[in-house]
Amino acid sequence: MTEESFLNDLSLSLHEAWHLLQSGAGDRHSPLHTPAVATVTGDGIASQRIMVLRSVDQAKRQLRFNTDVRGSKVADIRRNGTVSILGYHPEAKVQLRLSGTAVVQSEGPVADAAWQQATLYGQRCYLADPGPGTPAGSPTSGLDPDIEGVKPTPEQVRPARANFAILLVDVQTIEWLYLAHTGHRRARFDWNEAAHEWNSTWLVP
Ligand SMILES: Cc1cc2nc3c(=O)[nH]c(=O)nc-3n(C[C@H](O)[C@H](O)[C@H](O)COP(=O)(O)O)c2cc1C
């Protein structure tokens, strides 16, 4: 979409935001393929990490990420599902700050399909033992040396399925910032569940 079409149009800006997210999920070269995802720790502190955006369902306002059930983000989300997601697309000149509620699903058809879609190398990450974040006395990938540096077989990665989960984020707000040399534009979109529509407003950038 061209700048002229959405610059002064809230609904087209929202449309462009979803378009950028969708292409971020599908295009590994897009900067929105790897946004920062923040959770809230048990101490009430924000904790961010980069994650690969795997899929976007605009109709459901849902984003999907893959992760290891043993990671600290999963513990955070099980305690408090509030998440914030941040990305910047320099070519599109758009910053997106989303917030919403996340759930972790390690079983079910969507998690199974996500596991099947992952490559053997991708699945291998979930074989780390002990789990991510465990202190180690020496430098380690967490993987058995036998499968480091080689393509694992489906049999070898099978036990990793138990550590794999999807993280589904129900997007509740989208904050849009578009950088334009003529004058930036900032907008906020809040999902109104009762009316089943987005409440939209411009903000001073
Ligand atoms: C480019 C990139 C992509 C990443 N993708 C993921 C991902 O999709 N899922 C994930 O759990 N961690 C991913 N990570 C690792 C996380 O940033 C993080 O280090 C790890 O998951 C541990 O996070 P936690 O202790 O907060 O749970 C990625 C890191 C980078 C640099």
Side-chain angles (χ1 to χ4, degrees), residues 7-205:
L7 190 71
N8 295 314
D9 187 311
L10 276 172
S11 86
L12 289 180
S13 295
L14 178 61
H15 185 272
E16 182 69 0
W18 280 107
H19 168 72
L20 288 170
L21 287 169
Q22 230 137 23
S23 41
D27 174 8
R28 67 190 178 89
H29 299 296
S30 164
L32 294 179
H33 192 57
T34 48
V37 178
T39 52
V40 182
T41 69
D43 298 329
I45 296 165
S47 176
Q48 305 175 69
R49 78 283 296 153
I50 298 295
M51 295 184 79
V52 173
L53 177 58
R54 302 284 170 177
S55 66
V56 172
D57 185 331
Q58 184 180 350
K60 287 187 180 168
R61 295 169 293 102
Q62 198 176 70
L63 312 183
R64 179 173 63 80
F65 301 87
N66 292 346
T67 199
D68 191 307
V69 285
R70 301 165 297 170
S72 73
K73 67 181 92 50
V74 170
D76 291 346
I77 287 165
R78 285 182 171 153
R79 219 181 295 110
N80 176 354
T82 305
V83 293
S84 171
I85 296 166
L86 179 70
Y88 175 57
H89 195 306
E91 227 173 274
K93 298 181 288 180
V94 171
Q95 172 181 264
L96 291 176
R97 176 165 56 182
L98 316 182
S99 66
T101 306
V103 291
V104 176
Q105 279 182 13
S106 49
E107 287 167 12
V110 186
D112 287 341
W115 175 253
Q116 292 307 330
Q117 277 164 23
T119 63
L120 287 168
Y121 284 113
Q123 293 176 341
R124 187 181 63 176
C125 301
Y126 299 90
L127 275 179
D129 185 24
T134 307
S138 55
T140 180
S141 67
L143 298 174
D144 192 301
D146 288 352
I147 55 159
E148 264 190 348
V150 291
K151 187 176 180 178
T153 65
E155 289 67 40
Q156 282 175 315
V157 294
R158 191 156 297 131
R161 174 63 184 87
N163 299 325
F164 174 83
I166 54 170
L167 204 150
L168 296 174
V169 177
D170 179 8
V171 177
Q172 279 140 11
T173 69
I174 299 177
E175 211 187 280
W176 158 272
L177 176 67
Y178 175 70
L179 303 180
H181 58 86
T182 49
H184 306 327
R185 290 290 186 273
R186 183 172 168 194
R188 184 181 163 103
F189 306 95
D190 292 284
W191 179 248
N192 181 336
E193 185 60 38
H196 223 71
E197 64 185 21
W198 291 97
N199 293 341
S200 312
T201 183
W202 292 113
L203 301 172
V204 175

